[in-house]
Amino acid sequence: MAEEDYGSFVDWNQMGDLAKSSGPTKVDCKDLKEFKQMARQGYWAKNHKLRAQVYQQLIKAIPCRTVTPDAEVYRDIMGNAATKKPSSHIPLPDFVDDNEVPRYCLKAEGLASAHQIINCVVGQFPDISHCPSLPAITSLLLHFSVDEAQCFEHVSRILACNEPGKRLLDQTFLAYESSCMTFGDLANKYCAPAHKLIIATAQDVLEVYSDWQRWVLGDLPFSHIVRILDVYLVEGYKVLFRVAIALLKFYRKHKAGVQGVNQQQDSGKVRADIQAFVKGIASTVTPEKLLEKAFSIRLFSRKEITLLQLTNEKSLQQKGITVKQKRRNVQLALNPDTFSSEIVSAKEMRDIWSWIPERFALCQPQLLFTTSNHGCSLTRFYSHCDGYEPTLLLIRTTDGDVCGAFLSTDWEERKRGGNKLSFFGTGECFVFRLKPEMERYEWVVIRHPELASSIKPQDQEDGAAPEAPNTENNGLAQPEKPVGELSPFLSARHFNLNSKNTSMFMAGNFDSIIVGGGEGNALYIDSELNHGRTGRCTTFDNPPLCAESFQVSLLETWGFEDTMSK
């Protein structure tokens, strides 16, 4: 079977149930919100021709550069070549990073057409330097194009999208690499058990996560990726993150109970194992189940993901990583031969390193302060730690318990509150304990997104000052840090919080340092760095990290040294 206008590139014998058109034959909708709901529900999923028409409508609506090549440009360029039989032996450009064109139930001639279209794109988009997802997108859109020229126009519009804050495909190595780091950050926060599995089994976590886009655009079977394409063309790039995290969740479930699953092995074997799982996912997970899992994950807004991506890009630029180069193994950032701490082993520090934001993962731990060398003085603590951001606080008690905190913001920020003890920091802060057992406690909003009712409207986010904080419980002020200096990911100002107690991250003055606030403190250390308290706090919703009242045996603070930029 073949549709009259669409599907000439398709091998219908491989399409299974998708070859049988049924359901609605037209979509009478121009409202984006309604389109979004219809896409998620699969309104046009059972009618190939209708799906093609909807795609054409959606792609035509993409805001593009003033000069964007269209179907006529393709016909002019190809000329007589368009009448010749295309060849799949035409080599693909280097910027696809050795990714092949997925078959996706296309005829052999369809694969050859995809090669021809991609090579025509090269000449029209000379600014593209790294776009490994282009072969998959081209192959998919051929299903729903009347000819090569129309497919070329659709691909061009996706590449030429210039809507502020919106991206559809990464087109530089910097953007792609930062997306891998961003995926690692999101997996760490929203898929912690699966992330922990990858940490335990792969020697290089970033190498595994470098495949995240290919899991979606390349490895998934056609029946699954085409349902994702329905939503992607309506909602954009963030859909890819959602689906990839859902795949990681299903992979972890698939590996549960497998003997020896936590034994560390070559990263290439882990990558191949995930790829095999994703390619065979149809036997255990339906397309609808995959989408259901993806949209049950409470991710932050597109703006938050964009801000995190930009931060990771900035971090890579500062390290001089802007073009493709040999990947550096994340584990090498912590050299067991040179690392020395009196509180944690190299293995324990490596476990802590797996929790920190990806943009700091390639940094070397740098000892800033230790009570064994610098004495038990809060003044000396500040003198050694001011000017460093972020920092890692480690505490060993006289009972042998070990706990600590990752602190996102320079301790020098305490000075903004004058002599008044004031909270500062961002939602990247977290507290943890290592002994007697290892556990991390993140910002409560990450684990309970319902505490943030919604993202503030644009006019409030960028201009309006936040309400005065409720300091009744702790008597602590929370000075507003200038917008440009806030950590762009998980800044409390991006959220409508039901209580300021949920965003009390870190505080300090001449008298004490505090981590976590609201109905108690996760950590309180006195001015002599000798006595401490711990208890449940609203910000991290943590239990006491050790004995509620404890004596400090040893305290260390570590910074993050960027050895790559030296």
Side-chain angles (χ1 to χ4, degrees), residues 501-540:
N501 291 343
T502 60
S503 57
M504 293 179 170
F505 301 112
M506 52 192 289
N509 64 4
F510 63 90
D511 204 32
S512 63
I513 56 174
I514 288 175
V515 180
E519 302 177 15
N521 303 122
L523 283 171
Y524 166 93
I525 307 293
D526 68 7
S527 61
E528 295 180 348
L529 306 184
N530 188 310
H531 177 71
R533 296 194 302 270
T534 178
R536 182 194 171 276
C537 75
T538 307
T539 298
F540 299 113

Side-chain angles (χ1 to χ4, degrees), residues 104-126:
Y104 287 149
C105 307
L106 292 178
K107 299 174 183 174
E109 308 92 87
L111 282 178
S113 292
H115 279 247
Q116 192 157 276
I117 292 165
I118 292 168
N119 277 282
C120 191
V121 164
V122 175
Q124 297 301 303
F125 292 87

Side-chain angles (χ1 to χ4, degrees), residues 296-345:
S296 70
I297 301 166
R298 296 293 299 273
L299 287 175
F300 292 109
S301 70
R302 183 174 73 186
K303 179 174 182 180
E304 282 296 312
I305 293 174
T306 301
L307 287 170
L308 180 56
Q309 185 107 345
L310 290 173
T311 305
N312 285 329
E313 283 188 11
K314 184 178 178 181
S315 174
L316 289 167
Q317 286 173 324
Q318 290 171 343
K319 291 177 172 64
I321 302 174
T322 57
V323 296
K324 185 170 171 56
Q325 54 190 263
K326 183 176 174 62
R327 179 178 299 280
R328 177 170 175 174
N329 192 314
V330 175
Q331 300 266 349
L332 295 180
L334 185 64
N335 187 338
D337 296 328
T338 59
F339 173 75
S340 177
S341 165
E342 295 181 69
I343 298 180
V344 297
S345 66

Side-chain angles (χ1 to χ4, degrees), residues 26 74 77 141 164 180 252 342 357 387 411 414 419 484 509 512:
K26 66 177 182 176
Y74 184 83
I77 292 171
L141 293 179
C180 297
R252 186 248 176 184
E342 295 181 69
W411 277 108
R414 73 189 184 282
N419 292 326
N509 64 4
S512 63

Side-chain angles (χ1 to χ4, degrees), residues 235-270:
E235 300 188 40
Y237 191 76
K238 68 176 182 180
V239 171
L240 303 182
F241 281 118
R242 285 186 175 276
V243 173
I245 289 177
L247 288 171
L248 201 58
K249 284 176 175 280
F250 280 121
Y251 174 72
R252 186 248 176 184
K253 185 178 179 181
H254 164 71
K255 299 300 286 186
V258 177
Q259 267 194 338
V261 70
N262 287 326
Q263 292 178 354
Q264 196 164 81
Q265 53 188 303
D266 179 74
S267 301
K269 292 181 179 178
V270 179

Side-chain angles (χ1 to χ4, degrees), residues 476-492:
L476 302 177
Q478 291 180 286
E480 174 68 359
K481 195 174 178 183
V483 169
E485 297 181 28
L486 282 165
S487 173
F489 185 52
L490 300 182
S491 297

